[in-house]
Amino acid sequence: MNELHAELRRFAQDEAGATAIEYGLIAALIAVGAIAAMTSFGGNLSGMFNTVSTKAGVALANAGT
């Protein structure tokens, strides 16, 4: 029983896991920010790409004539 108590005390004092958790939280925050930005600008970007695609298709169709 004393061995288990000593192991739990050593585990509680170990800070290596805290660093991994901090990096995980930073990565999650970056992901949330990226998703928010993509959601916010997604409609505008989609419209822009559709316009470019349409104009490129017309230009290619007229280039053969």
Side-chain angles (χ1 to χ4, degrees):
M1 192 64 160
N2 286 335
E3 185 177 322
L4 176 63
H5 185 58
E7 187 70 28
L8 288 173
R9 180 179 292 154
R10 188 167 50 89
F11 178 74
Q13 292 174 349
D14 186 13
E15 294 184 9
T19 302
I21 290 172
E22 289 169 356
Y23 282 126
L25 289 173
I26 291 169
L29 185 61
I30 290 171
V32 167
I35 290 169
M38 288 179 211
T39 301
S40 174
F41 299 118
N44 294 337
L45 287 176
S46 178
M48 183 179 67
F49 283 123
N50 285 335
T51 301
V52 170
S53 175
T54 301
K55 290 187 179 188
V58 169
L60 287 174
N62 290 337
T65 58

